[in-house]
Amino acid sequence: MLEDLRTLVEVESPSRDLDALRKSAETVAGVIEARLGGRAVLVESEGGPHVHWSGGGTPRALVLGHHDTVFPLGTLARRPFLVEDGRATGPGVFDMLGGLVQAIHGLAGLEDRSGVEILVTADEEVGSHSSRALIEERALACGAVLVAEGAADGGAVKTGRKGCGTFEVSVAGRASHAGLEPAAGVNALIEAAHQVLDIAALARPEIGTTVTPTVASAGTLDNVVPAQATVVVDVRVESADEKERVESAFAALAPHLDEAVITVKGSVGRPPMPESAAAGLFAVARELLPGLEGRAVGGGSDGNFTAALGVPTLDGLGAVGGGAHADHEYLLVGSMAERARLVAGLVDAIRSA
């Protein structure tokens, strides 16, 4: 497993870099074919090549993951793959190349691989826009989904996820000289400041709804009333009702300054993953691995899409470790075999149900 993990990590795969993603997809396909046999097909898309493999027979279980990472080309030179003191480090080891390797090797331990499919997408880190339809199609065809994303703290599987999305609020004002005639302008930065306060007030943390302005930009020069401003907002919700409320509130944002114009783009693109979607599979996982914990988390994954369809979905079956999207990302090597066996056991249980 460490040999295959090194192979995947050393082919960098930043989202939206189509050349890098093609090399990565070809490498993932090669590892799958070497360990499982058969043919791993590259599915072309505008977001990069996705990788699909089937063990044949009637589809019963879909193992779901992604091969894109958040790290730009060149990260590997600064932070090479390394195994030391029981930890593997390097870009993507935890999110989520380690989980892919574990799942592949878990399936390799099965004498019968029929009824199992693997789908490894190329654009999960940037919204899964080109892969969502394929994910949903294969999830419905298989009827059960095992997501090889990294585990929650302490190795817990992920039994629920918030719905999440990004909104961009643009303000159009009017430029003027900040010293000679400031009143002749419409200050987009002041309007944006009003909007930030209105937007932040949409949060309802007591029921799990977070609305967090994260990036803002405005203005051109220090002596010009800014004519444009933009605010980017991260949104997380636990229910479909909250998704609708927040989306409606963004659509209804109104300017505070005369002649300012507000434009809103975005949505809660990943629907919430209710814990009910994982209940049955989590019960099986606890039988296979007594003491295994389950946890609902704030981050989203492609499991949100499959759970929203009513397909039983268990997430966080991948690497045990931490530091997703950060320079201190790591995987605990000692847990790899156990997690591989857990995936294999779940596949067997699904097929025999």
Side-chain angles (χ1 to χ4, degrees):
M1 282 192 284
L2 289 173
E3 176 187 334
D4 287 345
L5 181 57
R6 176 188 293 275
T7 296
L8 296 187
V9 170
E10 291 184 346
V11 179
E12 294 180 281
S13 54
S15 305
R16 297 194 176 100
D17 187 323
L18 299 186
D19 290 338
L21 289 169
R22 175 161 298 282
K23 294 176 184 176
S24 174
E26 291 170 349
T27 304
V28 170
V31 170
I32 291 173
E33 291 175 353
R35 302 302 177 189
L36 301 178
R39 180 167 177 252
V41 178
L42 267 57
V43 181
E44 301 296 338
S45 84
E46 62 183 11
H50 314 308
V51 183
H52 181 244
W53 175 90
S54 171
T58 303
R60 299 292 304 280
L62 175 66
V63 175
L64 184 58
H66 64 89
H67 65 97
D68 63 319
T69 71
V70 301
F71 301 104
L73 290 180
T75 302
L76 186 68
R78 178 173 55 84
R79 197 157 55 86
F81 179 77
L82 179 67
V83 178
E84 189 174 62
D85 297 329
R87 294 187 173 201
T89 55
V93 290
F94 178 69
D95 187 13
M96 61 162 289
L97 302 176
L100 291 181
V101 169
Q102 290 167 187
I104 292 166
H105 279 260
L107 298 181
L110 298 174
E111 291 185 13
D112 177 12
R113 297 164 195 161
S114 63
V116 187
E117 296 187 11
I118 300 173
L119 178 59
V120 186
T121 64
D123 63 346
E124 192 273 346
E125 296 289 7
V126 289
S128 304
H129 301 294
S130 73
S131 57
R132 179 174 180 174
L134 179 60
I135 291 166
E136 294 178 338
E137 173 197 313
R138 298 323 307 158
L140 289 169
C142 292
V145 177
L146 305 174
V147 185
E149 289 275 7
D153 289 348
V157 293
K158 296 172 180 177
T159 53
R161 286 184 179 272
K162 290 185 180 182
C164 53
T166 302
F167 291 81
E168 183 179 281
V169 179
S170 298
V171 179
R174 183 171 60 247
S176 65
H177 195 291
L180 295 177
E181 46 181 2
V186 177
N187 195 314
L189 178 54
I190 292 177
E191 180 61 54
H194 284 294
Q195 294 300 321
V196 165
L197 296 177
D198 291 346
I199 289 165
L202 298 175
R204 290 184 179 173
E206 69 278 7
I207 57 172
T209 300
T210 60
V211 181
T212 309
T214 54
V215 179
S217 61
T220 53
L221 295 171
D222 59 3
N223 62 353
V224 178
V225 171
Q228 299 288 334
T230 303
V231 178
V232 179
V233 187
D234 178 278
V235 173
R236 312 276 166 154
V237 298
E238 288 187 358
S239 70
D241 287 345
E242 278 296 276
K243 173 183 184 296
E244 293 178 10
R245 180 187 71 84
V246 171
E247 288 179 340
S248 296
F250 269 94
L253 289 174
H256 290 251
L257 303 182
D258 292 341
E259 299 184 74
V261 177
I262 307 295
T263 304
V264 178
K265 296 190 296 184
S267 66
V268 180
R270 293 186 192 273
M273 174 183 166
E275 292 190 74
S276 57
L281 290 172
F282 179 50
V284 174
R286 285 181 64 98
E287 291 178 4
L288 294 167
L289 190 58
L292 180 68
E293 294 185 0
R295 193 167 303 152
V297 298
S301 82
D302 288 335
N304 290 57
F305 298 134
T306 63
L309 296 172
V311 177
T313 301
L314 186 59
D315 205 334
L317 290 163
V320 177
H325 296 190
D327 281 354
H328 64 276
E329 181 182 23
Y330 69 95
L331 173 154
L332 296 178
V333 174
S335 65
M336 294 183 74
E338 180 179 76
R339 300 299 273 211
R341 288 192 292 268
L342 178 59
V343 170
L346 283 164
V347 166
D348 261 346
I350 291 166
R351 293 188 302 187
S352 63

